[in-house]
Amino acid sequence: MTLTAPPAASDSLPEPDNFRVAAIAPAGAILAAAVDGVRFGQLDDTEAVAVLAALETLGRKVDGASVRM
């Protein structure tokens, strides 16, 4: 048996025809807009903990959805 590498991934994903995919797709851009350029070391402790808690909550939802898929 010979092992071969899988074909190279294309740069584009199939066009979503599912409303769930269409709803999830912009989430990365929204998250990026919220945190891009933020230096978390410059946040005060209260804000840093609040942002971290919000990210952890989102992460648990994403992880849970990934597991269910």
Side-chain angles (χ1 to χ4, degrees):
M1 181 168 117
T2 303
L3 295 177
T4 58
S10 67
D11 289 341
S12 62
L13 295 174
E15 192 64 35
D17 24 312
N18 183 308
F19 79 94
R20 288 176 186 87
V21 175
I24 293 168
I30 293 169
L31 179 60
V35 298
D36 278 358
V38 173
R39 293 181 179 250
F40 288 97
Q42 294 177 339
L43 302 176
D44 66 37
D45 290 346
T46 302
E47 188 175 12
V49 169
V51 170
L52 181 58
L55 289 170
E56 286 294 323
T57 298
L58 178 60
R60 283 190 294 277
K61 290 176 182 178
V62 170
D63 290 345
S66 295
V67 168
R68 287 190 308 270
M69 290 292 124

